[in-house]
Amino acid sequence: MPNEVNRLLTAMSKDILFHTIFPHETSKTWVVFVHGAGGSSAIWFRQLKAYKKEYNVLLLDLRGHGKSNNLVQNFVDNNYSFNKVSKDIIDVLDHNNIPSAHFVGISLGTILIRNIAEIAPQYVSSMVLGGAVTRFNTRSNTLVYLGNTFKHFLPYMWLYRLFAFIMMPKKRHKESRLLFVREAKRLCQKEFIKWFKLAMDVNPLMQYFKEKDIDIPILYIMGKEDHMFLGPVKEMVKRHKNSVLQTIHHCGHVCNVERPDLFNQHSLAFIAQQNR
C-alpha cells in the first residue's frame, strides 16, 4: 500500500520507531500493539487478522528490537528509561496523527502502556494487558539480581533462554519460549544490557502505579500458569475499580500466543464495550 510505505520511509528518516499500519475502510478506532522486551511486532501474528476486521491497527518494534534495531541507530546509543521508551511510542502516534487508541500489550510492554497512561493519558482509550508485569516476586527478583551480576560475563542469549524457561517451564509453553528466544536473537549484547537495566526500575514504578488508581479502563488477561506474575495482578485488580481480570486455563505467560482464540475473544469484547 503506497501510503503505508511512505509512512515507513518517513518514520525512518525522522528516527521514528519502525511500525506498520493496517487501515480500516470505515472504522475511526485505533488499536496499538506493544510487545515485550526481547520480542517484536511479529508476536502479534495471531491477533492481526481478527483485529484488522474491526479496527485500524498499528504494530511497532520498540527501540533496539525487530526492524527498529537496524533503522534507528540513535536509540541504541542512549540510556533507557521507561519514560523515554514510552515517548518513542507516543512519537509514532503523533507521526501518524492518531489522537488516541486502545492499547494491547504483553509482558514488559504492559508497563510501557501503563506508563503512557500516566504521563499522557489523553492517548489511551483503554488498556488490554496480557501477561502483565505489575511487580517482581521473590523468584523474579532473584533472576534479575543474578542476571545483573552476570550480564557482562555471560552471553546474553544464555541468560535469556534461562529466563524464558523459568517463566514458561511447561511443555505447552514451548512455542512461546522458542518464539521469544528467536526474536531476542536480533538484540546485541549491549542492547540486552540496557533493557536489563530497565528491569531494575520495575518494582518502584509499579509500586507507584499500585497505589494510584486510574480512570482508564484496564483488562488484564493472564494465563493460570503464569506463576511469576498472576498473583501480583490479582492484588492490583482488587485495589483498582476500573480493572478487570480474565484468566485462561492451561496457559502460561505469553497468553496471546498460547491461547490466541481466548485472548482475541476477551480483548475484542472488552474494546467493543468501551466503544459503545
Side-chain angles (χ1 to χ4, degrees):
M1 182 175 296
N3 288 340
E4 181 176 321
V5 172
N6 288 337
R7 286 194 192 98
L8 292 176
L9 291 174
T10 304
M12 292 181 224
S13 66
K14 292 185 177 181
D15 294 331
I16 301 295
L17 294 177
F18 183 90
H19 59 279
T20 308
I21 286 177
F22 299 88
H24 192 277
E25 290 185 358
T26 58
S27 176
K28 295 183 179 180
T29 301
W30 284 90
V31 177
V32 176
F33 287 87
V34 183
H35 63 81
S40 77
S41 56
I43 70 161
W44 302 110
F45 68 102
R46 289 179 174 168
Q47 280 66 59
L48 186 55
K49 182 178 179 181
Y51 270 82
K52 284 195 305 181
K53 292 179 181 179
E54 304 290 336
Y55 305 114
N56 301 284
V57 173
L58 188 153
L59 304 180
L60 56 84
D61 289 339
L62 296 173
R63 57 166 66 188
H65 290 69
K67 294 183 179 180
S68 290
N69 189 25
N70 297 323
L71 297 175
V72 197
Q73 291 299 321
N74 71 312
F75 288 154
V76 181
D77 298 328
N78 294 331
N79 292 322
Y80 293 178
S81 69
F82 279 111
N83 279 355
K84 285 182 180 179
V85 180
S86 299
K87 183 62 165 55
D88 294 344
I89 299 171
I90 294 171
D91 287 345
V92 174
L93 269 67
D94 288 343
H95 180 75
N96 291 282
N97 298 313
I98 301 173
S100 64
H102 301 277
F103 282 78
V104 181
I106 195 75
S107 194
L108 197 70
T110 64
I111 302 177
L112 297 174
I113 293 172
R114 178 61 183 84
N115 196 53
I116 292 171
E118 187 66 30
I119 64 176
Q122 68 273 19
Y123 288 95
V124 185
S125 300
S126 74
M127 295 175 265
V128 176
L129 308 181
V133 179
T134 60
R135 175 170 56 82
F136 284 160
N137 61 15
T138 302
R139 182 178 297 183
S140 48
N141 272 326
T142 301
L143 281 174
V144 170
Y145 173 79
L146 291 174
N148 191 53
T149 302
F150 295 107
K151 64 180 183 290
H152 292 291
F153 307 105
L154 293 177
Y156 79 95
M157 286 307 301
W158 289 13
L159 292 171
Y160 199 85
R161 287 190 178 96
L162 174 62
F163 294 161
F165 183 79
I166 292 174
M167 286 194 299
M168 300 169 274
K170 293 184 179 290
K171 184 177 180 180
R172 57 174 159 259
H173 305 161
K174 182 178 180 180
E175 182 182 3
S176 298
R177 288 198 305 270
L178 293 177
L179 175 63
F180 266 70
V181 168
R182 184 176 71 242
E183 291 298 320
K185 288 180 180 178
R186 294 175 180 260
L187 295 174
C188 63
Q189 181 94 1
K190 183 179 178 182
E191 186 70 11
F192 174 83
I193 290 172
K194 289 184 177 182
W195 278 90
F196 201 91
K197 287 181 178 177
L198 196 62
M200 305 293 288
D201 297 330
V202 167
N203 272 2
L205 182 65
M206 296 312 296
Q207 182 61 36
Y208 171 75
F209 291 157
K210 182 180 179 180
E211 298 298 329
K212 182 182 179 184
D213 200 354
I214 195 167
D215 291 333
I216 300 170
I218 304 175
L219 169 64
Y220 292 93
I221 304 180
M222 305 292 294
K224 284 275 191 179
E225 297 170 352
D226 194 349
H227 59 96
M228 293 180 68
F229 301 114
L230 178 56
V233 167
K234 288 181 176 178
E235 294 177 14
M236 186 80 81
V237 171
K238 286 180 181 178
R239 298 174 67 101
H240 295 168
K241 66 180 185 301
N242 289 313
S243 298
V244 294
L245 170 63
Q246 286 281 1
T247 55
I248 302 177
H249 289 277
H250 308 299
C251 182
H253 182 58
V254 193
C255 47
N256 69 302
V257 172
E258 294 177 33
R259 295 301 304 273
D261 51 344
L262 290 176
F263 184 93
N264 294 349
Q265 176 185 325
H266 294 318
S267 58
L268 283 167
F270 175 77
I271 292 174
Q273 184 179 15
Q274 310 315 313
N275 288 334
R276 290 174 185 168

